[in-house]
Amino acid sequence: MIEDKSPQRTSIAQLGEFGLIDHLTKNFEINQLSTLKGIGDDAAVLDFKDKKVVVSTDILVEGVHFDLGYMPLRHLGYKAVVVNVSDICAMNAKATQILVTIAVSNRFPLEALEELFDGITLAANEYKLDVIGGDTTSSQKGMIISITVIGEADDDEIVYRTGAGKTDLLVVTGDIGAAYMGLQVLEREKQVFQVNPNSQPDLDGYTYLIERQLKPEARKDVRTLLHALEIKPTAMIDISDGLSSEIMHICKQSEVGCNLYEDKLPLDPQFMNTCEEFDLDATTVAINGGEDYELLFTIKMEDFDKIKGNPNFTIIGHMTQESEGIHLVTRANTRIPLKARGWNALEEM
């Protein structure tokens, strides 16, 4: 596909705020019966009847959470939705509506925002979400995206971080660490490009890792899978900031300890090969990397037979008395205190 060297650039100023909103939201469809009124009034109107409502919001800031040097705007729009849906999945609930707020500088033409909203629209269709409102404003520099997601669940379905018991099993979905290594590959290729702008990125052999970084998926399927197995987690959280951080959140709020087993961590072969190439310890990356958007949860010991051998889940440890602390049990059977070294957006740069 030949790149257009002179793409059309339409100033968003000529549309005005309301014209821009109309233009960007014209393709959104209503999918949920609970949406009585979406975009077009002072507020959205939702009717959940007997359901409990769950709400979460997240903000993505250019230069902090994403780099447009290698993050396509369409992928950014998709990912911005997914990271919010993942929070609802972590409550064992179903995401139903989102509100989208963006702030952009004048360096972004209309066509750039169309690309962003193409990704948002794709995610909304994939996850059956109604886009019911939001806001647009200007930014002095860069792009800021904030998405609020609304979901629903029956009262007896909702899972909190506070319910883990001292003998519960610790379970994770999918594999972990790949998104972080995808970021390392992209950062490396960016640095090569900065030195030699004529170079082409060498991404062969890293497809899975890059997809996990640029186009993650929320585990909306887990709620259905667990229901079919007749398992309700006792505590649950999504892995956005790193496995170690999320384990510590559950332990703190449930007042329990934990033993995490190194040899049980689910690691993709491409991830392990790339860690070796970058001379990074795979275990360290896997437990601290973040942005996997898998689900981490605890189940009662008696549910072991229901979940063992299931390819969607891996039992990676067990909870203990709070007084025993939180530890990584190495392959050499050494217990190392687990520390939260995952993503910290407020860390000084």
Side-chain angles (χ1 to χ4, degrees):
M1 187 174 180
I2 299 175
E3 181 183 358
D4 185 357
K5 299 298 183 181
S6 301
Q8 182 180 355
R9 291 178 60 87
T10 304
S11 170
I12 60 177
Q14 68 187 60
L15 277 77
E17 180 181 1
F18 298 114
L20 177 63
I21 292 171
D22 289 342
H23 183 87
L24 294 177
T25 62
K26 62 186 178 184
N27 294 322
F28 292 139
E29 300 176 354
I30 299 299
N31 296 292
Q32 304 293 332
L33 294 176
S34 53
T35 305
L36 301 184
K37 178 65 177 179
I39 296 171
D41 217 304
D42 286 322
V45 180
L46 310 178
D47 178 12
F48 287 96
K49 297 183 172 64
D50 298 328
K51 298 284 187 180
K52 296 297 182 182
V53 178
V54 289
V55 181
S56 183
T57 191
D58 205 357
I59 189 168
L60 300 178
V61 179
E62 184 180 356
V64 177
H65 301 97
F66 61 88
D67 185 336
L68 291 177
Y70 47 72
M71 169 66 83
L73 285 166
R74 186 172 300 185
H75 285 74
L76 176 61
Y78 191 93
K79 184 173 181 176
V81 174
V82 165
V83 302
N84 283 274
V85 172
S86 183
D87 285 333
I88 302 301
C89 294
M91 300 293 294
N92 202 37
K94 173 188 174 185
T96 51
Q97 287 94 0
I98 57 172
L99 295 96
V100 180
T101 296
I102 61 169
V104 292
S105 67
N106 58 12
R107 89 171 199 262
F108 293 96
L110 175 62
E111 288 73 21
L113 297 188
E114 287 176 335
E115 284 287 309
L116 179 73
F117 271 74
D118 281 348
I120 292 172
T121 304
L122 181 62
N125 292 336
E126 174 66 25
Y127 290 91
K128 300 294 187 290
L129 303 168
D130 293 341
V131 183
I132 60 169
D135 195 14
T136 59
T137 190
S138 61
S139 167
Q140 288 297 316
K141 53 183 179 180
M143 175 182 287
I144 300 171
I145 307 168
S146 177
I147 291 184
T148 297
V149 59
I150 300 167
E152 64 178 32
D154 292 335
D155 189 29
D156 61 356
E157 291 179 312
I158 297 177
V159 177
Y160 301 95
R161 300 177 184 179
T162 55
K166 61 186 178 182
T167 61
D168 287 355
L169 300 174
L170 184 65
V171 185
V172 71
T173 64
D175 59 80
I176 54 177
Y180 179 85
M181 287 312 300
L183 179 62
Q184 301 314 300
V185 171
L186 291 168
E187 285 285 356
R188 181 184 67 182
E189 296 306 313
K190 176 185 175 181
Q191 291 174 12
V192 171
F193 177 79
Q194 288 174 338
V195 173
N196 180 13
N198 293 320
S199 68
Q200 293 296 314
D202 181 12
L203 302 180
D204 290 341
Y206 308 108
T207 306
Y208 178 67
L209 307 182
I210 291 170
E211 182 175 349
R212 292 281 281 180
Q213 171 58 218
L214 296 185
K215 191 176 177 290
E217 298 292 351
R219 294 306 302 263
K220 64 175 182 176
D221 58 323
V222 169
R223 184 169 181 257
T224 303
L225 290 169
L226 290 174
H227 185 267
L229 294 171
E230 298 182 343
I231 294 175
K232 181 185 176 181
T234 53
M236 185 151 58
I237 192 171
D238 77 326
I239 304 175
S240 55
D241 298 329
L243 180 67
S244 59
S245 296
E246 316 305 359
I247 289 175
M248 296 185 78
H249 282 311
I250 288 179
C251 287
K252 179 181 179 180
Q253 296 191 34
S254 293
E255 298 182 345
V256 294
C258 179
N259 284 330
L260 169 67
Y261 291 88
E262 181 181 19
D263 62 350
K264 301 298 184 183
L265 296 174
L267 308 178
D268 183 82
Q270 191 174 102
F271 162 78
M272 297 180 69
N273 291 337
T274 309
C275 284
E276 184 175 350
E277 178 187 343
F278 278 69
D279 196 25
L280 294 173
D281 180 72
T283 298
T284 301
V285 173
I287 66 176
N288 296 308
E291 288 200 297
D292 294 308
Y293 300 105
E294 296 291 346
L295 296 180
L296 176 72
F297 59 93
T298 54
I299 61 172
K300 293 184 179 298
M301 187 72 74
E302 50 262 39
D303 287 330
F304 171 75
D305 287 336
K306 298 177 183 177
I307 208 169
K308 69 176 182 180
N310 191 302
N312 298 287
F313 308 112
T314 304
I315 299 171
I316 59 174
H318 63 86
M319 315 316 283
T320 64
Q321 297 265 10
E322 185 178 20
S323 59
E324 293 186 26
I326 308 169
H327 292 90
L328 172 70
V329 182
T330 69
R331 293 184 178 86
N333 205 31
T334 302
R335 296 172 80 242
I336 302 173
L338 198 63
K339 296 182 179 179
R341 294 193 176 95
W343 165 251
N344 180 3
L346 301 180
E347 189 174 55
E348 291 186 11
M349 297 186 178

